[in-house]
């Protein structure tokens, strides 16, 4: 298996690039944002709990997202690999992911981290908010809160993987096609 983490702040292009990467490499896409939004749309109790956090731009509690990823790993035993998008978002989630993969004799191959300036992030998310209908995209204060959550809780996840030399920074500004090519170049160096 080849397991990849696509990392970066909100609006850095994780979801956008993930769609293209899974099409090229046949990986199973696991986006905690998408899984949470699906719970919200189905009005499950997990979704109702998550919505309170997401609407404020806060991270959903670790135990909720770790439980979701654990089930998703069990539900997909025969895949070529996983693309983790928006997960892990805290060091505790990263440690939990390592333990879950270890149980399957698997590990993370690489973390590709998209580098985008704060100004550009805000611009992109405000623009998406005009059409996405996502309640966390249509208010600049909530967008700023998401960026602060990233800086205070999520950025440390890259330090966690740096200890194992697994982090590669990738320029996240430019056209979607240009960034896709940079990501593919890094994956092609590592995939068998
Ligand atoms: P996510 O769904 O993961 O969303 P995101 O990080 O905000 O956006 P993403 O990075 O995927 O968007 P993209 O750049 O592709 O999280 C939403 C919320 O869920 C979180 O705030 C949190 O509350 C909760 N959550 C999710 N996972 C969690 C976890 N593990 N733990 C706790 N809570 C969790 O796209 C942004 C826009 O930029 C798009 O409109 C796109 O078209 C545009 N864009 C992309 N690339 C571009 C480019 N190169 N140039 C110009 N525009 C571009």
């Amino acid at each position: 298996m080849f397991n990849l983490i696509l990392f970066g702040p909100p609006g850095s292009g994780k979801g956008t690039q993930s769609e293209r990467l899974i099409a090229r490499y046949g990986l199973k896409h696991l986006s905690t944002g998408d899984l949470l939004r699906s719970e919200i749309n189905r009005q499950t109790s997990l979704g109702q709990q998550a919505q309170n956090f997401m609407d404020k731009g806060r991270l959903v509690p670790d135990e909720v997202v770790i439980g979701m990823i654990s089930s998703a790993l069990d539900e997909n035993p025969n895949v070529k690999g996983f693309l983790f998008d928006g997960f892990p978002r805290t060091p505790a989630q990263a440690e939990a992911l390592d333990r879950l993969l270890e149980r399957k004799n698997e590990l993370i191959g690489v973390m590709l981290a998209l580098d985008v300036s704060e100004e550009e992030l805000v611009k992109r998310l405000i623009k998406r908010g005009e059409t996405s209908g996502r309640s966390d995209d249509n208010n600049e204060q909530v967008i700023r809160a998401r960026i602060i959550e990233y800086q205070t809780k999520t950025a440390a996840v890259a330090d966690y993987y740096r200890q194992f030399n697994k982090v590669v920074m990738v320029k996240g500004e430019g056209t979607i096609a240009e960034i896709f090519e940079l990501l593919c170049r890094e994956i092609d160096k590592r995939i068998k």
Side-chain angles (χ1 to χ4, degrees), residues 4 16 25 39-40 62 70 84 88 91 96 141 148-149 183 191:
L4 160 72
T16 306
Y25 295 102
E39 296 282 341
I40 291 171
D62 284 340
S70 173
F84 296 97
Q141 227 176 325
I148 290 171
E149 285 281 87
L183 293 169
I191 210 159

mmCIF file of all heavy atoms in Angstrom, residues 4 16 25 39-40 62 70 84 88 91 96 141 148-149 183 191:
data_model
loop_
_atom_site.group_PDB
_atom_site.id
_atom_site.type_symbol
_atom_site.label_atom_id
_atom_site.label_comp_id
_atom_site.label_asym_id
_atom_site.label_seq_id
_atom_site.Cartn_x
_atom_site.Cartn_y
_atom_site.Cartn_z
ATOM 1 N N LEU A 4 -0.673 8.273 1.777
ATOM 2 C CA LEU A 4 -0.214 9.639 1.596
ATOM 3 C C LEU A 4 -1.081 10.591 2.418
ATOM 4 O O LEU A 4 -2.303 10.426 2.458
ATOM 5 C CB LEU A 4 -0.364 9.941 0.099
ATOM 6 C CG LEU A 4 -0.429 11.354 -0.405
ATOM 7 C CD1 LEU A 4 0.937 11.989 -0.301
ATOM 8 C CD2 LEU A 4 -0.881 11.351 -1.867
ATOM 9 N N THR A 16 -9.244 20.013 -3.499
ATOM 10 C CA THR A 16 -9.115 20.211 -4.949
ATOM 11 C C THR A 16 -8.097 19.239 -5.551
ATOM 12 O O THR A 16 -8.372 18.556 -6.547
ATOM 13 C CB THR A 16 -8.623 21.665 -5.213
ATOM 14 O OG1 THR A 16 -9.522 22.559 -4.554
ATOM 15 C CG2 THR A 16 -8.534 21.987 -6.677
ATOM 16 N N TYR A 25 -3.805 8.001 -9.277
ATOM 17 C CA TYR A 25 -3.079 6.915 -8.591
ATOM 18 C C TYR A 25 -3.986 5.807 -8.047
ATOM 19 O O TYR A 25 -3.485 4.828 -7.493
ATOM 20 C CB TYR A 25 -2.215 7.490 -7.455
ATOM 21 C CG TYR A 25 -1.119 8.387 -7.986
ATOM 22 C CD1 TYR A 25 -1.238 9.772 -7.924
ATOM 23 C CD2 TYR A 25 0.023 7.848 -8.583
ATOM 24 C CE1 TYR A 25 -0.244 10.602 -8.434
ATOM 25 C CE2 TYR A 25 1.017 8.668 -9.092
ATOM 26 C CZ TYR A 25 0.874 10.044 -9.017
ATOM 27 O OH TYR A 25 1.864 10.849 -9.535
ATOM 28 N N GLU A 39 -22.211 13.344 7.492
ATOM 29 C CA GLU A 39 -22.941 13.089 8.752
ATOM 30 C C GLU A 39 -23.942 14.226 9.017
ATOM 31 O O GLU A 39 -25.058 13.992 9.468
ATOM 32 C CB GLU A 39 -21.965 13.002 9.938
ATOM 33 C CG GLU A 39 -20.984 11.835 9.877
ATOM 34 C CD GLU A 39 -21.599 10.497 10.282
ATOM 35 O OE1 GLU A 39 -22.652 10.480 10.936
ATOM 36 O OE2 GLU A 39 -20.995 9.454 9.928
ATOM 37 N N ILE A 40 -23.511 15.468 8.722
ATOM 38 C CA ILE A 40 -24.405 16.622 8.944
ATOM 39 C C ILE A 40 -25.614 16.530 8.011
ATOM 40 O O ILE A 40 -26.757 16.690 8.437
ATOM 41 C CB ILE A 40 -23.640 17.956 8.716
ATOM 42 C CG1 ILE A 40 -22.599 18.153 9.828
ATOM 43 C CG2 ILE A 40 -24.597 19.148 8.666
ATOM 44 C CD1 ILE A 40 -21.643 19.310 9.617
ATOM 45 N N ASP A 62 -11.084 15.215 18.810
ATOM 46 C CA ASP A 62 -10.251 14.130 18.276
ATOM 47 C C ASP A 62 -10.971 12.785 18.250
ATOM 48 O O ASP A 62 -10.911 12.051 17.266
ATOM 49 C CB ASP A 62 -8.980 13.969 19.139
ATOM 50 C CG ASP A 62 -7.962 15.067 18.871
ATOM 51 O OD1 ASP A 62 -8.038 15.698 17.799
ATOM 52 O OD2 ASP A 62 -7.087 15.284 19.732
ATOM 53 N N SER A 70 -11.008 5.263 11.818
ATOM 54 C CA SER A 70 -10.818 3.859 12.172
ATOM 55 C C SER A 70 -11.838 2.989 11.417
ATOM 56 O O SER A 70 -11.490 1.965 10.816
ATOM 57 C CB SER A 70 -10.962 3.711 13.690
ATOM 58 O OG SER A 70 -10.942 2.372 14.036
ATOM 59 N N PHE A 84 -5.064 10.609 2.764
ATOM 60 C CA PHE A 84 -5.691 11.286 3.898
ATOM 61 C C PHE A 84 -5.711 12.783 3.613
ATOM 62 O O PHE A 84 -4.658 13.392 3.398
ATOM 63 C CB PHE A 84 -4.919 10.996 5.187
ATOM 64 C CG PHE A 84 -4.954 9.536 5.569
ATOM 65 C CD1 PHE A 84 -3.903 8.688 5.231
ATOM 66 C CD2 PHE A 84 -6.044 9.009 6.241
ATOM 67 C CE1 PHE A 84 -3.936 7.336 5.563
ATOM 68 C CE2 PHE A 84 -6.086 7.660 6.580
ATOM 69 C CZ PHE A 84 -5.039 6.818 6.245
ATOM 70 N N PRO A 88 -4.327 13.740 9.588
ATOM 71 C CA PRO A 88 -4.591 14.225 10.944
ATOM 72 C C PRO A 88 -4.461 15.743 11.058
ATOM 73 O O PRO A 88 -3.700 16.369 10.338
ATOM 74 C CB PRO A 88 -3.511 13.539 11.769
ATOM 75 C CG PRO A 88 -2.448 13.119 10.824
ATOM 76 C CD PRO A 88 -3.026 13.057 9.469
ATOM 77 N N PRO A 91 -1.637 16.591 16.766
ATOM 78 C CA PRO A 91 -0.648 15.536 17.027
ATOM 79 C C PRO A 91 -1.313 14.273 17.599
ATOM 80 O O PRO A 91 -0.893 13.165 17.271
ATOM 81 C CB PRO A 91 0.300 16.197 18.032
ATOM 82 C CG PRO A 91 0.229 17.660 17.695
ATOM 83 C CD PRO A 91 -1.211 17.905 17.341
ATOM 84 N N ALA A 96 -2.672 8.550 16.764
ATOM 85 C CA ALA A 96 -3.731 7.540 16.631
ATOM 86 C C ALA A 96 -3.668 6.889 15.247
ATOM 87 O O ALA A 96 -3.824 5.674 15.114
ATOM 88 C CB ALA A 96 -5.097 8.184 16.858
ATOM 89 N N GLN A 141 -14.954 36.083 9.607
ATOM 90 C CA GLN A 141 -14.525 35.829 10.990
ATOM 91 C C GLN A 141 -14.319 34.324 11.231
ATOM 92 O O GLN A 141 -13.368 33.910 11.890
ATOM 93 C CB GLN A 141 -15.610 36.326 11.926
ATOM 94 C CG GLN A 141 -15.078 37.164 13.055
ATOM 95 C CD GLN A 141 -16.248 37.694 13.884
ATOM 96 O OE1 GLN A 141 -17.314 38.002 13.359
ATOM 97 N NE2 GLN A 141 -16.043 37.767 15.181
ATOM 98 N N ILE A 148 -6.619 30.287 12.552
ATOM 99 C CA ILE A 148 -5.987 30.309 13.886
ATOM 100 C C ILE A 148 -5.961 28.886 14.470
ATOM 101 O O ILE A 148 -4.957 28.458 15.048
ATOM 102 C CB ILE A 148 -6.719 31.305 14.819
ATOM 103 C CG1 ILE A 148 -6.436 32.731 14.321
ATOM 104 C CG2 ILE A 148 -6.265 31.149 16.273
ATOM 105 C CD1 ILE A 148 -7.258 33.822 14.984
ATOM 106 N N GLU A 149 -7.041 28.117 14.280
ATOM 107 C CA GLU A 149 -7.045 26.715 14.730
ATOM 108 C C GLU A 149 -5.896 25.962 14.058
ATOM 109 O O GLU A 149 -5.206 25.156 14.683
ATOM 110 C CB GLU A 149 -8.371 26.020 14.363
ATOM 111 C CG GLU A 149 -9.553 26.393 15.213
ATOM 112 C CD GLU A 149 -9.571 25.669 16.560
ATOM 113 O OE1 GLU A 149 -8.948 26.185 17.502
ATOM 114 O OE2 GLU A 149 -10.236 24.623 16.666
ATOM 115 N N LEU A 183 2.967 17.916 -7.130
ATOM 116 C CA LEU A 183 2.599 16.829 -6.205
ATOM 117 C C LEU A 183 2.917 15.467 -6.847
ATOM 118 O O LEU A 183 3.482 14.579 -6.198
ATOM 119 C CB LEU A 183 1.105 16.917 -5.850
ATOM 120 C CG LEU A 183 0.682 18.140 -5.017
ATOM 121 C CD1 LEU A 183 -0.845 18.252 -4.970
ATOM 122 C CD2 LEU A 183 1.236 18.067 -3.594
ATOM 123 N N ILE A 191 6.495 6.040 -5.216
ATOM 124 C CA ILE A 191 5.527 4.956 -5.432
ATOM 125 C C ILE A 191 6.195 3.840 -6.239
ATOM 126 O O ILE A 191 7.020 4.118 -7.113
ATOM 127 C CB ILE A 191 4.262 5.508 -6.147
ATOM 128 C CG1 ILE A 191 3.018 4.730 -5.756
ATOM 129 C CG2 ILE A 191 4.426 5.620 -7.633
ATOM 130 C CD1 ILE A 191 1.717 5.495 -6.000
#
